[in-house]
Amino acid sequence: MNPLWLGVLMALLAVYAGLVWFAFSTARKVERLVPPLGQFVEVQGVRLHYVEHGSGPVTVLCIHGLAGNARHFAARVLEPLSRHFRVVALDRPGAGYSAPLGDTPTPQAQSALMAAFIDALGLGQPVVVGHSLGGAVALALASGHPERVGALALLAPLTQHPKSVPPVFAALAIRGPLVRTMIGWTLAVPLSIARRDAVLSVVFGPEPVPDDFGLAAGGLLGMRPSAFTSASTDLAAADVGMSTLVERHATVQAPVGILYGTHDRILQPAMHGNGLLAQIPHATLELVERAGHMLPLTAPERVVAFVHEVAGRRTTAASV
């Protein structure tokens, strides 16, 4: 081989090895700083991490959104809700400390796992709180497994099939699993660090990013190769699943409440909130003025009150 090309190849291999080492060492550091918060259960061969607090006749199951984890709920809303309910928040498959669910974890596939999770923990018919992509999973659970759902409390939910990916998530729009993994273990971590402030200003805006987002709310867990590959996989799978899921919204019989921030920069309240109202006439929509997308962290008191209100409708519906 030409010495020049050999030198170039060796340099590229050195850069590649350096990026992989940086990703690996960053992930290990993050996991020391933000360890698992709860416990683990194996459901249908998938190891799931979840946090549980409180007790009571009604259970609340919290499902987080894209690139999130259970700490998004644990940081602000689990403790106040646990004064009245048994509250469980889990890392969706592939997120946080939960194992992945194949190459195409559509909302429907994730909802089937959620139904098995509900059975495994004996949650009965919980009030299912779904944030963002977790809202789509909650809707899939209610339409595909109605006997597992007492009510839906949806926070800034994904309910329709968008024509395009929100620009802030464009870097995640990778179809091939191999390319996704290679980027996750090379460029994703340094780019995530470099773009962190710009991304979070959109995700949280117009509200400020909480000071404890990285640790208490688990934001640092997004700085791992597995977080990138999982979020990219979720995004591609949601594109596959949403078109057929939307057609089933009208079959949802459980009480449904929707809470949206008026200034959400990720999902539009008019499209995803009003759109769902048109498909589920018995649903209700509430708006939080000048709030953004991350309601469990920026408007926890409003979220807690909202879950209580939806849970009251579950009790009423169950008694009729």
Side-chain angles (χ1 to χ4, degrees):
M1 179 181 289
N2 184 297
L4 176 61
W5 285 111
L6 179 60
V8 171
L9 177 61
M10 294 300 292
L12 290 174
L13 288 174
V15 170
Y16 180 82
L19 288 170
V20 171
W21 172 249
F22 180 74
F24 176 81
S25 59
T26 300
R28 297 293 81 78
K29 181 178 180 180
V30 164
E31 289 168 357
R32 289 194 297 271
L33 291 171
V34 190
L37 194 61
Q39 50 198 318
F40 293 86
V41 63
E42 186 168 311
V43 179
Q44 295 184 340
V46 180
R47 191 169 187 250
L48 297 175
H49 172 249
Y50 69 97
V51 183
E52 180 173 352
H53 289 289
S55 61
V58 177
T59 299
V60 173
L61 173 62
C62 301
I63 306 175
H64 64 80
L66 183 71
N69 59 80
R71 285 178 179 258
H72 285 190
F73 291 103
R76 300 279 193 278
V77 302
L78 248 65
E79 192 279 327
L81 284 174
S82 70
R83 299 169 196 167
H84 303 275
F85 307 106
R86 178 187 180 188
V87 189
V88 175
L90 83 161
D91 291 335
R92 285 190 301 98
Y97 285 97
S98 289
L101 178 65
D103 292 331
T104 313
T106 62
Q108 295 91 325
Q110 294 195 44
S111 73
L113 189 65
M114 294 302 100
F117 177 78
I118 289 170
D119 291 345
L121 267 64
L123 303 185
Q125 291 183 306
V127 176
V128 182
V129 181
H131 176 231
S132 195
L133 177 58
V137 176
L139 284 162
L141 183 63
S143 62
H145 310 270
E147 71 285 357
R148 305 304 204 290
V149 176
L152 297 181
L154 305 177
L155 311 174
L158 171 69
T159 72
Q160 309 303 311
H161 190 189
K163 294 181 179 179
S164 60
V165 174
V168 72
F169 294 139
L172 297 172
I174 301 168
R175 292 288 181 180
L178 178 59
V179 175
R180 190 180 292 140
T181 300
M182 290 182 63
I183 292 176
W185 278 99
T186 54
L187 299 175
V189 174
L191 288 178
S192 294
I193 294 172
R195 298 180 63 240
R196 178 182 181 276
D197 291 343
V199 170
L200 291 182
S201 69
V202 176
V203 172
F204 278 89
E207 298 161 295
V209 181
D211 292 338
D212 63 351
F213 175 66
L215 294 175
L220 283 176
L221 291 175
M223 302 295 177
R224 300 179 300 164
S226 61
F228 176 87
T229 56
S230 173
S232 179
T233 302
D234 274 342
L235 193 65
D239 186 49
V240 172
M242 284 306 295
S243 58
T244 55
L245 178 59
V246 170
E247 297 172 356
R248 294 192 55 81
H249 289 344
T251 68
V252 173
Q253 298 298 313
V256 179
I258 311 160
L259 188 68
Y260 246 107
T262 58
H263 287 58
D264 193 313
R265 295 176 178 176
I266 303 297
L267 299 173
Q268 297 76 35
M271 177 180 181
H272 296 277
N274 293 331
L276 190 61
L277 287 183
Q279 295 158 326
I280 306 178
H282 65 269
T284 60
L285 172 64
E286 300 177 35
L287 298 175
V288 184
E289 292 296 327
R290 299 202 60 78
H293 189 67
M294 297 299 287
L295 297 174
L297 291 168
T298 61
E301 295 86 359
R302 184 68 181 271
V303 167
V304 169
F306 172 70
V307 173
H308 273 274
E309 188 273 324
V310 175
R313 281 193 262 159
R314 173 198 180 277
T315 302
T316 300
S319 64
V320 173

